[in-house]
Amino acid sequence: MTTTITWDDSIRSFLRQAGSSNPTPGGGSVAALIAALGASMTSMVGNLTQGEKFADIQSTISEVIEKMRRLTAECEELLQADIASFNGYMDALKLPKSSDEEKRIRTNALHEAAIQAIDVPLRLMQVCREGLVFTHRIAESSNKNVISDLGIGAILFEAAAQSALLTIEINLASLKDAERKQHYSDTLTSLMSEIQDLKNKSLQVTRNRILK
């Protein structure tokens, strides 16, 4: 069954669907929502860093707010793409396999579906890295009164990335292409290291400013 979820659905509706016996929305969609919430926290801090006191950083703040808007829209697309990729994999599993030709077609379809199921959460991890780059950029200069919210944004971006990583890992296990699998593994190691470093730096600044 195809599940359609939009940003206009209520939080209650999403939670009910995510907690039901239906396989979608699943972890990948939840991760996309978490990333969007991280973007909303960073955006809120930007929108509260306004006025004469912050005049010298307004161009940076405006850039960050716009970036969060774009990342939020991309998270919505990735939420839907995660559902579509799961449905695609299930459709591939249902393909006939009576003849050698049918088996070949089914094997190829499963391979392509597995790649799609990896590429969608991988893109979400890249979104999280982008979000953290901009979150960290305003950590030292944004409104101190809401600096804890910026730290929460950083935590949510990293949590979404970790969640997306698990989604990738379970699909990576079924990938038969050893060379492609190694390429993905190398990319993920580097990407996750960068994400964790940015989150840690953002949190360190957050806590330092809270204590001042």
Side-chain angles (χ1 to χ4, degrees):
M1 181 181 69
T2 301
T3 303
T4 301
I5 296 174
T6 71
W7 252 211
D8 293 328
D9 286 339
S10 70
I11 293 174
R12 180 178 296 160
S13 174
F14 183 88
L15 294 176
R16 177 179 55 77
Q17 292 180 72
S20 74
S21 59
N22 292 326
T24 58
S29 296
V30 169
L33 179 58
I34 292 170
L37 289 171
S40 71
M41 288 293 91
T42 296
S43 179
M44 183 190 76
V45 172
N47 281 305
L48 290 172
T49 305
Q50 302 290 329
E52 186 177 341
K53 181 179 178 181
F54 304 103
D56 58 333
I57 60 167
Q58 275 312 294
S59 61
T60 299
I61 293 297
S62 296
E63 184 182 3
V64 168
I65 292 171
E66 175 59 19
K67 185 65 173 181
M68 294 306 115
R69 185 191 67 78
R70 293 179 182 177
L71 291 183
T72 298
E74 191 160 359
C75 285
E76 182 173 10
E77 293 174 4
L78 289 169
L79 185 152
Q80 293 292 353
D82 179 78
I83 293 172
S85 69
F86 177 84
N87 290 335
Y89 190 81
M90 295 306 294
D91 288 343
L93 281 175
K94 296 172 185 174
L95 289 173
K97 49 182 177 178
S98 300
S99 67
D100 289 342
E101 178 62 12
E102 286 180 343
K103 288 177 182 177
R104 184 188 66 79
I105 292 173
R106 183 176 182 273
T107 297
N108 289 338
L110 284 169
H111 177 74
E112 291 303 317
I115 290 173
Q116 182 67 12
I118 292 168
D119 284 346
V120 171
L122 176 57
R123 179 55 196 149
L124 181 61
M125 289 181 70
Q126 292 166 340
V127 164
C128 292
R129 177 183 60 188
E130 292 177 57
L132 279 163
V133 166
F134 281 79
T135 297
H136 181 252
R137 185 177 296 178
I138 62 170
E140 289 281 7
S141 56
S142 57
N143 188 341
K144 182 182 176 180
N145 293 324
V146 286
I147 193 60
S148 61
D149 297 288
L150 193 72
I152 289 168
I155 289 170
L156 291 175
F157 275 130
E158 198 248 358
Q162 290 279 14
S163 302
L165 179 61
L166 283 175
T167 301
I168 293 170
E169 287 173 343
I170 196 169
N171 289 296
L172 201 58
S174 65
L175 197 63
K176 305 302 182 184
D177 186 334
E179 184 176 348
R180 187 186 288 266
K181 183 181 287 191
Q182 186 59 53
H183 172 73
Y184 277 127
S185 296
D186 293 343
T187 299
L188 292 169
T189 298
S190 175
L191 186 56
M192 199 66 232
S193 176
E194 188 176 354
I195 286 169
Q196 290 177 321
D197 183 57
L198 284 164
K199 186 267 291 187
N200 290 337
K201 287 179 178 177
S202 297
L203 277 187
Q204 187 61 56
V205 173
T206 296
R207 291 197 165 100
N208 288 344
R209 293 190 67 195
I210 287 172
L211 295 173
K212 285 182 181 179

